[in-house]
């Protein structure tokens, strides 16, 4: 594999605060590289440096064999584009939003029409050309943002938490589009995420980040197999639990994660195990619901984070669980801090890490 | 009370009779205030972009200065300009005093703080990451600045409309550096004042009606330009 971009001993400071320190990383052509780390670990800053939007205070960047300097910065930007975590759209139609970068590149009108149409089809927004971009739902807006970047067919595509604030349906469309773009358009992708499940499944390689440093780089099998120290400490914030597992006589894996909380998982491991449950996979209800799901936990809402169309809740069931529901559900259920709720999820939603 | 009612009737007759003196005054007002606003817009927009998009020492002091100057009394500015422009003044050699040029320059200076302040706030209100968004899609720095301005276009249009309204409605500058010379530098506000002093209320009221129509009309055009659908929903109760 060819090296598309190389960072050597990169350092970035904002005032007195060092946000990236001694970053050395190679990005291979055609790969999906995941940047996995907690908030504040420097993922977004690193992506902005790779998008040539921020200049490092020290270190060297090489892109397609050419050293990046002040002089070639604007030319380099034409080959690397970023989709931000917070969806930002110009106050115009979906067509004009997606066509913006093509117009900058002076692509002829008939070609623009064709490319915009293909990009919208890729993100499953065919026929949305004339709609006002800002009037779409949160998930549709993020898909427009992705189409706007994909249409440019840049060598490098940078995605900052592309599914962080989305409902499961939109999140899975975006994940599919990312995989398709990489496979069929051969776009090299670097994506920041703090979703363990996404990190495990989508990228070919993962760089673990903590406090502005890259602590480990490897394939997802290597990283998750090793269950490194960084991963374990980071995991505590995102529905990742460690405990002692036992396999019962009827072949069910029972994991005791402490504080009298037990989780049923579909694996067959025993002994010390760490598992991850995606916040999108957990059903939240005010009453205990009868279903085939093996895990029903009762707890209280201890934190509410409004993310626009989505609300993230932290529920204390003895251990803190993060749950993600739509704003509409949140309002209809009349939830508040300290509301008593039930969390329901299938044994197959418990993924060993 | 009768005199006022008579004044209103006569004023309406004057408006619809096509009186050349009356419409000459209206034309000069529109021309001087329009040119003053265009002149102010030319230097206000780059100033606002500098104040909103760049960081430099003393920026907040300059922003504070413009905000404070929004409320400058027009007579105070008129007096200051008179001292600058009179024959023995520093700019006396330009021969601008009591000419339309003096009014246009004076009104442009008067409305500049208002336009700069509103435009600065409007551009600052656009998400700062928008600049990075345009850049990452391939825009050069100047193309990215244009993208930001497009996002702020409603506020920019509003600031210029507000500037025009302040210019056409002011009296102090036009009177002090224009001199209210009949058929040359007299405008709506100076004439309203003069005709009122002469107890010629029909002319004063007619000019005041036109002034109000212009000020409200400009605001209405801005509202409609911002959202043409407002025409369809006028008179309906909000949902």
């Amino acid at each position: 594999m060819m090296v598309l971009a190389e960072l050597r001993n990169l350092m970035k400071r904002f005032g007195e605060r060092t946000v990236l320190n001694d970053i050395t990383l190679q990005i291979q052509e055609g790969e999906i590289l995941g940047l996995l780390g907690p908030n504040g670990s420097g993922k977004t800053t690193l992506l902005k440096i790779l998008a040539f939007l921020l200049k490092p205070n020290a270190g060297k960047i090489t892109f397609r064999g050419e050293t990046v300097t002040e002089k070639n910065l604007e030319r380099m930007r034409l080959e690397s584009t970023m989709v931000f975590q917070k969806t930002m759209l110009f106050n115009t139609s979906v067509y004009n939003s997606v066509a913006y970068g093509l117009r900058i590149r002076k692509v002829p009108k008939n070609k623009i029409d064709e490319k915009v149409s293909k990009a919208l089809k890729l993100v499953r927004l065919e026929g949305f050309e004339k709609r006002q971009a800002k009037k779409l739902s949160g998930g549709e807006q993020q898909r427009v943002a992705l189409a706007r970047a994909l249409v440019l067919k840049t060598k490098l595509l940078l995605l900052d938490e592309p599914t962080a604030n989305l409902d499961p349906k939109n999140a899975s469309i975006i994940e599919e589009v990312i995989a398709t773009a990489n496979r069929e358009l051969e776009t090299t992708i670097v994506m920041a995420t703090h979703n363990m499940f996404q990190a495990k499944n989508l990228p070919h390689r993962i760089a673990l980040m903590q406090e502005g440093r890259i602590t480990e780089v490897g394939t997802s099998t290597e990283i998750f197999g090793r269950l490194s120290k960084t991963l374990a400490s980071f995991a505590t914030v995102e529905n990742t639990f460690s405990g002692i597992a036992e396999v019962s006589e009827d072949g069910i894996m029972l994991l005791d994660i402490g504080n009298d909380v037990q989780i049923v998982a579909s694996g067959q491991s025993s002994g010390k195990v760490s598992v991850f449950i995606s916040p999108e996979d957990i059903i939240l209800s005010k009453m205990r619901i009868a279903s085939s799901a093996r895990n029903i936990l009762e707890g209280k809402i201890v934190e509410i984070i409004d993310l626009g169309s989505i609300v993230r809740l932290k529920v204390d069931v003895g251990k803190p669980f993060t749950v993600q529901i739509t704003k509409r559900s949140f309002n209809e259920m009349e939830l508040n801090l300290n509301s008593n709720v039930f969390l329901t999820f299938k044994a197959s939603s418990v993924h060993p890490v | 009370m009768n005199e006022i009612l008579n004044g209103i009737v006569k004023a309406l007759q004057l408006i619809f009779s096509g009186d050349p003196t009356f419409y000459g005054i209206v034309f000069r007002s529109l021309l001087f205030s329009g040119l003053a606003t265009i002149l102010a817009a030319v230097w206000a927009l780059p100033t606002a972009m500098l104040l909103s998009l760049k960081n430099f020492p003393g920026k907040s002091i300059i922003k504070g200065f413009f905000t404070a100057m929004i409320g400058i009394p027009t007579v105070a500015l008129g007096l200051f300009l008179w001292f600058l422009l009179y024959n023995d003044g520093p700019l006396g050699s330009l021969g601008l005093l009591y000419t339309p040029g003096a009014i246009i320059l004076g009104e442009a200076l008067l409305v500049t703080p208002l336009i700069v302040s509103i435009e600065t706030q409007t551009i600052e209100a656009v998400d700062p990451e928008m600049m990075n968004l345009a850049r990452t899609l391939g825009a050069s720095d100047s193309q990215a600045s244009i993208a930001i301005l497009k996002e702020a276009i409603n506020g920019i249009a509003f600031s210029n409309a507000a500037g025009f309204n302040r210019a056409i409605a002011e009296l102090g500058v036009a009177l002090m550096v224009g001199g209210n010379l009949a058929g040359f530098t007299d405008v709506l506000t100076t004439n309203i004042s003069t005709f009122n002093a002469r107890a010629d209320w029909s002319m004063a009221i007619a000019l005041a009606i036109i002034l109000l129509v212009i000020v409200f009309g400009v605001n209405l055009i801005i509202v409609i330009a911002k959202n043409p659908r407002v025409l369809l929903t006028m008179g309906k109760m909000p949902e």
Side-chain angles (χ1 to χ4, degrees):
Chain A
M1 259 191 191
M2 293 270 290
V3 174
L4 178 69
E6 187 171 14
L7 313 175
R8 272 191 184 277
N9 308 109
L10 229 62
M11 198 263 283
K12 179 67 190 170
R13 265 198 310 261
F14 290 122
E16 294 291 298
R17 201 162 58 91
T18 303
V19 286
L20 288 179
N21 203 353
D22 199 23
I23 299 281
T24 294
L25 183 69
Q26 278 191 343
I27 296 152
Q28 313 288 342
E29 213 164 321
E31 75 170 338
I32 302 180
L33 174 72
L35 301 177
L36 183 62
N39 290 335
S41 58
K43 303 188 296 285
T44 302
T45 307
L46 183 53
L47 287 180
K48 282 188 175 172
I49 287 176
L50 282 166
F52 311 115
L53 294 171
L54 282 179
K55 283 172 238 165
N57 296 94
K60 184 180 166 187
I61 311 171
T62 317
F63 189 74
R64 303 181 78 193
E66 199 178 340
T67 304
V68 179
T69 63
E70 191 74 46
K71 280 184 182 170
N72 60 18
L73 204 65
E74 282 194 2
R75 180 163 54 84
M76 292 291 184
R77 258 186 224 146
L78 295 172
E79 290 300 338
S80 174
T81 191
M82 179 166 170
V83 178
F84 300 90
Q85 180 179 2
K86 182 178 160 200
T87 311
M88 277 186 300
L89 295 167
F90 296 123
N91 201 5
T92 182
S93 66
V94 170
Y95 176 90
N96 285 336
S97 296
V98 180
Y100 181 83
L102 295 172
R103 285 183 178 143
I104 293 278
R105 287 163 176 78
K106 297 193 165 54
V107 175
K109 169 88 172 74
N110 57 337
K111 287 269 178 207
I112 292 181
D113 290 349
E114 192 185 312
K115 284 170 185 278
V116 168
S117 169
K118 272 188 189 170
L120 288 177
K121 195 174 174 192
L122 190 64
V123 298
R124 296 191 211 159
L125 289 175
E126 298 107 310
F128 273 59
E129 281 89 341
K130 287 183 181 162
R131 303 266 291 268
Q132 276 298 305
K134 284 191 173 173
K135 289 192 174 166
L136 302 178
S137 72
E140 288 166 345
Q141 287 191 12
Q142 185 69 333
R143 279 148 67 191
V144 171
L146 191 56
R148 182 179 59 193
L150 285 171
V151 80
L152 303 174
K153 287 196 178 167
T154 50
K155 289 280 166 202
L156 185 57
L157 175 63
L158 306 154
L159 306 170
D160 192 4
E161 306 272 6
T163 61
N165 306 334
L166 301 183
D167 57 276
K169 185 189 154 208
N170 277 298
S172 91
I173 292 176
I174 293 228
E175 283 175 4
E176 276 177 43
V177 174
I178 294 168
T180 310
N182 175 253
R183 199 175 51 241
E184 290 174 17
L185 308 177
E186 294 174 355
T187 310
T188 308
I189 296 170
V190 179
M191 59 182 288
T193 182
H194 62 257
N195 180 322
M196 289 282 185
F197 190 53
Q198 196 173 67
K200 201 178 168 190
N201 289 298
L202 213 46
H204 303 117
R205 287 194 309 146
I206 291 169
L208 285 184
M209 291 191 71
Q210 198 169 36
E211 292 170 3
R213 288 176 183 274
I214 291 180
T215 50
E216 275 182 71
V217 184
T219 63
S220 62
T221 322
E222 283 169 356
I223 295 283
F224 284 92
R226 247 182 275 152
L227 198 69
S228 70
K229 249 188 185 175
T230 314
L231 183 59
S233 64
F234 157 57
T236 54
V237 294
E238 263 296 293
N239 283 359
T240 305
F241 306 99
S242 295
I244 306 296
E246 281 176 20
V247 180
S248 66
E249 283 173 10
D250 47 356
I252 293 169
M253 177 176 146
L254 204 60
L255 177 66
D256 187 343
I257 59 170
N259 289 358
D260 288 334
V261 183
Q262 289 192 322
I263 293 175
V264 180
S266 57
Q268 290 289 315
S269 314
S270 57
K272 193 160 169 42
V273 173
S274 289
V275 294
F276 167 71
I277 304 134
S278 177
E280 295 89 348
D281 286 349
I282 302 172
I283 295 169
L284 182 121
S285 58
K286 286 182 100 170
M287 311 283 279
R288 183 182 287 270
I289 49 174
S291 72
S292 64
R294 302 304 301 264
N295 293 290
I296 301 172
L297 303 170
E298 187 179 359
K300 276 191 182 353
I301 296 175
V302 290
E303 194 178 294
I304 299 171
I305 304 166
D306 192 341
L307 298 170
S309 58
I310 292 288
V311 179
R312 233 165 214 259
L313 305 168
K314 194 164 272 184
V315 179
D316 187 3
V317 297
K319 287 280 184 178
F321 274 69
T322 303
V323 188
Q324 195 164 291
I325 60 170
T326 61
K327 179 74 140 294
R328 186 179 286 183
S329 300
F330 178 80
N331 291 334
E332 281 173 7
M333 291 169 75
E334 295 174 354
L335 297 172
N336 284 306
L337 274 181
N338 290 322
S339 290
N340 215 48
V341 289
F342 289 88
L343 306 184
T344 307
F345 50 94
K346 298 171 87 165
S348 58
S349 296
V350 182
H351 305 282
V353 290
Chain B
M1 194 64 190
N2 270 345
E3 284 173 328
I4 296 172
L5 285 175
N6 282 338
I8 292 172
V9 172
K10 280 188 185 173
L12 292 173
Q13 285 170 349
L14 202 55
I15 290 169
F16 292 108
S17 69
D19 180 76
T21 309
F22 171 78
Y23 278 101
I25 295 165
V26 174
F27 172 74
R28 277 190 297 283
S29 259
L30 287 170
L31 181 70
F32 299 165
S33 309
L35 289 174
T37 310
I38 291 169
L39 186 62
V42 167
W43 61 53
L45 189 59
T47 310
M49 284 176 71
L50 197 70
L51 288 173
S52 51
L53 299 176
K54 300 278 178 201
N55 281 322
F56 54 88
K59 177 172 145 168
S60 54
I61 295 172
I62 298 172
K63 278 164 77 174
F65 168 76
F66 278 117
T67 309
M69 291 299 282
I70 289 175
I72 187 172
T74 57
V75 278
L77 180 65
L79 183 66
F80 173 71
L81 283 171
W82 190 89
F83 279 116
L84 273 180
L85 297 175
Y86 89 109
N87 280 347
D88 293 334
L91 300 176
S93 58
L94 296 174
L96 274 176
L97 195 62
Y98 303 136
T99 67
I103 300 180
I104 293 165
L105 179 69
E107 288 183 348
L109 290 173
L110 175 72
V111 302
T112 295
L114 180 70
I115 298 179
V116 167
S117 295
I118 299 176
E119 284 182 349
T120 304
Q121 281 181 25
T122 308
I123 299 169
E124 279 177 342
V126 176
D127 194 323
E129 281 289 68
M130 274 286 176
M131 195 86 178
N132 273 338
L133 170 66
R135 283 193 188 118
T136 198
L137 295 172
S140 63
D141 282 2
S142 52
Q143 286 168 323
S145 300
I146 291 169
I148 297 286
L149 288 185
K150 278 187 180 171
E151 292 299 299
I153 196 73
N154 284 340
I156 291 169
F158 171 73
S159 72
N160 286 299
F164 175 80
N165 281 349
R166 175 136 163 90
I168 204 165
E170 75 82 28
L171 172 66
V173 172
L175 198 61
M176 297 197 79
V177 298
N180 196 26
L181 305 176
F184 186 53
T185 58
D186 60 332
V187 291
L188 284 165
T189 50
T190 57
N191 273 299
I192 292 169
S193 168
T194 310
F195 284 112
N196 181 53
R198 283 191 212 152
D200 184 350
W201 288 319
S202 56
M203 192 67 164
I205 292 170
L207 291 170
I209 288 172
I210 287 291
L211 184 59
L212 288 169
V213 167
I214 291 171
V215 170
F216 289 138
V218 167
N219 285 333
L220 193 64
I221 289 167
I222 292 293
V223 170
I224 293 170
K226 204 169 144 185
N227 181 13
R229 289 167 64 89
V230 90
L231 284 173
L232 303 172
T233 53
M234 261 181 193
K236 283 187 188 167
M237 286 292 284
E239 285 173 22

